[in-house]
Amino acid sequence: MKSHIYIKSILKWLNHYFIFFLLVAFVITCCTALFVSMLADSLGVILTEENIEAAAKITFLNVALLSLIFTIVDSIRRKITVERPVKTITEAAERIIQGDFSVRIKPQSKFGTDETFNRIIDCFNKMAEELGGVETLRTDFIANVSHEMKTPLAVMQNYGTLIQDPKLSHDKLMEYAKGITDGSRRMADMMTNILKLNRLENQQIFPKITEFDLGEQLCECLLAYENVWEQGDIEIITDIDDNVRIKADNELLSHVWNNLFSNAFKFTPSGGTVTVSLKATEHHAVVTVSDTGCGMSPEVGAHIFEKFYQGDTSRSVQGNGLGLALVKRVVDIMQGEISVESTVGRGSAFTVKIRRG
């Protein structure tokens, strides 16, 4: 293998030498012929065959020597300005292939190196940084999914073991069966949300834009939780402007409202209040869903839209931390904005701005 590379290098060097030889021979021959011809005419010198033969030999030696010098100089130049940065980039790329995304290439010196390589190196470093971020997200995602699946699987396994007791009473049997059903439903919901989020993040869901009344959609989604607010003794306050029409994807936006309503009712205690507001501006429809629940700290609010993030661990059994990540992705696809204001012990308010046209 090494001998093959060595032979290739020699052939490459000879090829460069041959190119320089032809170039120098052509230039020197033309210049010499022109000079000698003009000198002979002006001085009246008659060139003999012996003179021409001697001059030709000297010229050939000069051409060979100059070609050799040019080839050596060009080889050194290529070694410093081309081969060295290419070797550095190649070695870094091989480390990327092996899974080392921490590799970074230092910019080359501006003296004696083509600036194009620094632009390539800058793009390479950005690519490595992005790949490293994606790898971290992938690892965290797998760890989070594994952790989220572990709890319901353990619960289902325990209940399944208890159900095998032949002396188990009917009431206990129903209780354990319900535990298994709830655990399987939670896993199914998590898998559904993961698939939805994956499709949204990979743009496999394309918005179907239609014009509809946003107020009507909000009321329909809110009424789906009527049993929840009645059982929880939660007061509902609505302040919805009439005839607020927008052009957006009806189905995707319904996921936004359902998740926001679900969170509001989940974190609002009995006797609390959930408020839904819809206001229209010249270019946007502004929806605010607020509650008088437990609220959250600024530290929690800064991460609330991240996948699998759950600020209130005491309520974590009721969710999987994917709902608000879905909400954020849908709002981004709709080219809208979402923000949250919250105070611990006083509740939270989520505001969504959607373009009307």
Side-chain angles (χ1 to χ4, degrees):
M1 184 67 180
K2 289 184 179 180
S3 60
H4 178 70
I5 296 174
Y6 183 69
I7 293 172
K8 262 183 97 174
S9 300
I10 293 177
L11 292 175
K12 184 178 179 181
W13 191 88
L14 289 175
N15 180 58
H16 289 161
Y17 177 81
F18 183 70
I19 292 173
F20 278 117
F21 181 85
L22 291 178
L23 180 62
V24 173
F26 175 77
V27 173
I28 289 182
T29 301
C30 292
C31 293
T32 302
L34 180 62
F35 175 76
V36 170
S37 176
M38 293 181 65
L39 184 64
D41 290 342
S42 61
L43 298 178
V45 177
I46 299 175
L47 299 176
T48 64
E49 183 178 348
E50 293 179 357
N51 292 335
I52 295 175
E53 183 178 352
K57 291 178 179 178
I58 295 174
T59 303
F60 178 81
L61 291 175
N62 286 334
V63 168
L65 179 61
L66 288 174
S67 299
L68 179 61
I69 293 172
F70 288 161
T71 303
I72 293 173
V73 171
D74 183 64
S75 297
I76 296 173
R77 181 195 65 83
R78 287 176 59 85
K79 190 79 173 178
I80 296 174
T81 63
V82 178
E83 293 181 9
R84 187 168 62 182
V86 167
K87 181 181 179 183
T88 302
I89 296 172
T90 303
E91 290 175 350
E94 289 175 350
R95 290 175 60 184
I96 290 283
I97 292 172
Q98 295 171 1
D100 181 7
F101 300 110
S102 64
V103 60
R104 298 292 184 272
I105 305 175
K106 293 181 180 180
Q108 300 293 306
S109 172
K110 293 183 180 180
F111 299 100
T113 303
D114 193 342
E115 186 62 24
T116 304
F117 283 110
N118 281 334
R119 292 199 294 270
I120 295 173
I121 288 171
D122 185 52
C123 292
F124 183 93
N125 289 337
K126 289 180 181 178
M127 178 194 70
E129 184 178 356
E130 291 294 325
L131 287 173
V134 170
E135 179 65 16
T136 301
L137 287 175
R138 186 186 71 84
T139 304
D140 290 345
F141 183 80
I142 293 174
N144 285 324
V145 170
S146 301
H147 175 74
E148 291 296 327
M149 292 181 65
K150 186 177 180 180
T151 301
L153 281 173
V155 171
M156 293 165 62
Q157 185 178 10
N158 290 336
Y159 283 145
T161 302
L162 293 171
I163 284 178
Q164 297 176 26
D165 185 357
K167 299 179 181 179
L168 194 66
S169 66
H170 179 75
D171 292 339
K172 286 293 182 180
L173 179 63
M174 291 298 100
E175 178 185 345
Y176 298 156
K178 183 178 182 301
I180 294 175
T181 303
D182 291 342
S184 61
R185 184 181 294 113
R186 182 184 174 192
M187 289 187 62
D189 291 341
M190 182 174 64
M191 291 299 107
T192 300
N193 284 335
I194 288 174
L195 290 173
K196 286 179 181 177
L197 190 57
N198 182 63
R199 292 175 65 192
L200 287 170
E201 289 182 338
N202 289 283
Q203 290 295 323
Q204 294 176 357
I205 294 179
F206 298 95
K208 297 178 181 178
I209 305 301
T210 57
E211 185 176 351
F212 59 93
D213 191 311
L214 182 56
E216 290 183 2
Q217 185 189 51
L218 286 170
C219 291
E220 290 174 0
C221 292
L222 186 59
L223 286 173
Y225 293 88
E226 184 175 4
N227 291 334
V228 177
W229 81 61
E230 287 182 350
Q231 293 175 4
D233 190 25
I234 297 173
E235 181 183 3
I236 302 297
I237 299 177
T238 58
D239 183 13
I240 298 177
D241 287 354
D242 294 330
N243 198 31
V244 179
R245 302 189 67 82
I246 64 171
K247 292 181 179 179
D249 189 308
N250 191 312
E251 183 179 354
L252 284 179
L253 273 186
S254 67
H255 290 306
V256 173
W257 316 133
N258 285 329
N259 275 289
L260 293 181
F261 293 157
S262 175
N263 280 346
F265 292 127
K266 181 170 65 175
F267 292 105
T268 300
S270 179
T273 303
V274 171
T275 303
V276 181
S277 167
L278 169 61
K279 297 297 178 183
T281 65
E282 184 178 357
H283 301 292
H284 294 87
V286 183
V287 178
T288 302
V289 179
S290 57
D291 60 67
T292 57
C294 59
M296 54 188 164
S297 64
E299 292 77 13
V300 172
H303 301 279
I304 200 67
F305 296 109
E306 296 177 5
K307 292 188 290 290
F308 295 105
Y309 185 82
Q310 295 176 335
D312 185 358
T313 55
S314 65
R315 302 288 185 106
S316 61
V317 70
Q318 300 184 36
N320 48 54
L322 290 172
L324 289 177
L326 275 170
V327 167
K328 181 67 168 63
R329 185 58 185 145
V330 170
V331 172
D332 287 344
I333 290 176
M334 295 290 105
Q335 297 182 344
E337 301 175 12
I338 183 169
S339 59
V340 59
E341 294 181 2
S342 185
T343 304
V344 176
R346 299 184 61 181
S348 304
F350 288 85
T351 301
V352 180
K353 291 176 65 176
I354 300 294
R355 293 183 64 86
R356 298 185 64 183

